[in-house]
Amino acid sequence: MRRVRGIIGEGKKACVQTFGCQQNEADSERLGGMLSEMGFEIIYDVKDADLILVNTCAVREHAELKALSITGQFKHLKDAKPSLLIGICGCMVTQEHRAGTIKHSYPYVDFLFGTSMLYKFPEILWDTLTKDKRQILWEDTGEGNIAEGLPVKREGGVKAWLSIMYGCNNFCTYCVVPYVRGRERSRRREDILAEARGLIAEGVQEITLLGQNVNSYGNDLGTEGDFADLLDDICRIDGDFRLRFMTSHPKDASRKLIDVMAANDKIEKHFHLPLQSGDDRVLKAMNRRYTRESYLSLVGYMREKMPEIAITTDIIVGFPGETEEEFENTLDMLRRVRFDNIYSFIYSKRRGTPAEKMSDQIPDWVKKDRFARLLKVQDEISIAKNGELVGKTVPVLVEGRSKTDPARLTGRTAGNKLVHFTGDDALIGTRIDLHITQAETHSLFGEREK
Ligand code: 5AD
Ligand code: SF4
């Protein structure tokens, strides 16, 4: 890193395009930090860039096709400006077959590296420039590899991601993540606490702790305590900040974690708890290792301890072998739990996963039909749940101007619901009380208290 600081990028502009989850966004903030240290100016329009880096996702085919298509569009930029550097990194190219596709079918891509090589980015860029040769660094996901102390270029000062662990050990049968992100590796408690202290000192209002399964934080560290202890420790840091975390696996979310959440005002009362399916046979085939009953009992405990809690979930429709009756069990769970919001996905076959080889794949039209029915059931629940807030006054963290209506500001409630309201730019980054006046399926409208 040191030898390339401020040299490679002087007078040049770089643009990082990110696909996928919050972990990828956090990774891109580190890539942006490294680019800044190398002297690049970070910009958001690829047309003016001297370097474009695409940070890809592999969770569903759709995300991969989008990344490939956008990379394809960069060819004409390179034709117009041959000195333009194009790089691809992240989960998609950590798969051997996709790295091969880039290598052979996208000859104008100058460098490629997988998720375990993120910290080597400056070196890879240096080699690309000095060796006059494409750097295609595909290799299996490194294990036990955490690089601390990388620079970070964060988006905005209100909210920050903080990765507490990397990788996943769960091997849900549909999921590619354990193959592209490697085994679970927890960051050391003191490193996390130091980063949290730094963020709070900088004035960050809200920190979201990230991990594929935060509930197994510390399992690989031995003696340092679990996720609930870590949350408790972060809450003890002085300052007026709030904490969120994601994602939790229902098989590992403990009563202790819920108790810590209930006892700490600094932890926002929102729980994202991916259900995936509401049918016990499907859950077993997915290797999820919990049942409808144990899930319902966890939700019951959460609501007993925190009646105001917002619960959201992920649902996959059309997992191989899912029958109509099994799908209806998922609808039944939506009606029983009454989630505040769901993130729903059509099952996507992923290379190398056990579900890819299951014989009874569901036809596309059935998957699409179930997806539409799922949304319909949830939309009614979402609007009813949002409606419960109308007439109430709730605290909201103001994030910025609304993307759809710049005349308005937007903020988020404790339950992570989007609220639009009219107000002054000076409110951005502050926490204010809003009187909720109107509810829609995916957002709320509010007014400042007079
Ligand atoms: N197909 C569809 N959705 C998937 N997810 C993970 N793998 C797949 C797949 N192969 C969904 C899960 C997970 C979310 C991040 O993405 O619901 O919780
Ligand atoms: Fe994928 Fe399951 Fe790990 Fe989540 S817990 S990343 S769904 S394997």
Side-chain angles (χ1 to χ4, degrees), residues 29 55 57 90 131 139 150 159 189 256 308 318 356 371 393 410 420 429:
E29 291 182 342
N55 188 6
C57 169
K131 293 189 177 158
E139 74 181 31
L150 292 179
K159 305 205 293 183
R189 178 170 302 261
K256 177 180 167 191
E308 76 281 27
E356 181 205 6
F371 186 71
T393 297
T410 62
H420 304 283

Side-chain angles (χ1 to χ4, degrees), residues 92 123 418 421:
M92 181 181 83
E123 199 179 314
L418 203 57
F421 66 103

Side-chain angles (χ1 to χ4, degrees), residues 167-178 184 212-213 247 249 274 276 286-288 316:
C168 182
N169 286 354
N170 288 311
F171 289 94
C172 301
T173 53
Y174 50 81
C175 186
V176 79
V177 169
E184 277 173 9
Q212 299 299 339
N213 177 15
T247 293
H249 194 305
Q276 314 297 5
M286 288 177 161
N287 190 29
R288 291 290 288 177
I316 298 178

Side-chain angles (χ1 to χ4, degrees), residues 13-48:
K13 298 183 173 123
C15 179
V16 183
Q17 302 244 313
T18 311
F19 290 88
C21 65
Q22 289 83 2
Q23 183 56 55
N24 246 22
E25 285 178 28
D27 284 353
S28 286
E29 291 182 342
R30 293 209 141 62
L31 293 162
M34 289 187 260
L35 284 163
S36 290
E37 285 219 343
M38 287 186 274
F40 285 93
E41 179 193 341
I42 306 294
I43 58 164
Y44 300 94
D45 188 350
V46 286
K47 285 199 287 300
D48 300 324

Side-chain angles (χ1 to χ4, degrees), residues 162-195:
L162 201 173
S163 301
I164 61 164
M165 58 194 298
Y166 303 95
C168 182
N169 286 354
N170 288 311
F171 289 94
C172 301
T173 53
Y174 50 81
C175 186
V176 79
V177 169
Y179 306 93
V180 294
R181 289 256 175 205
R183 292 298 70 69
E184 277 173 9
R185 287 147 283 151
S186 301
R187 288 179 68 195
R188 288 191 352 226
R189 178 170 302 261
E190 55 270 37
D191 291 327
I192 297 170
L193 287 170
E195 190 169 343

Side-chain angles (χ1 to χ4, degrees), residues 269-310:
K269 302 300 178 266
H270 170 215
F271 215 107
H272 184 64
L273 192 65
L275 171 65
Q276 314 297 5
S277 164
D279 182 82
D280 284 343
R281 190 206 64 82
V282 176
L283 285 173
K284 200 153 197 238
M286 288 177 161
N287 190 29
R288 291 290 288 177
R289 288 170 281 170
Y290 53 85
T291 59
R292 283 166 65 90
E293 202 186 310
S294 65
Y295 189 97
L296 286 170
S297 130
L298 197 58
V299 166
Y301 189 72
M302 269 181 215
R303 289 192 167 142
E304 181 193 321
K305 294 281 161 173
M306 300 170 279
E308 76 281 27
I309 195 157

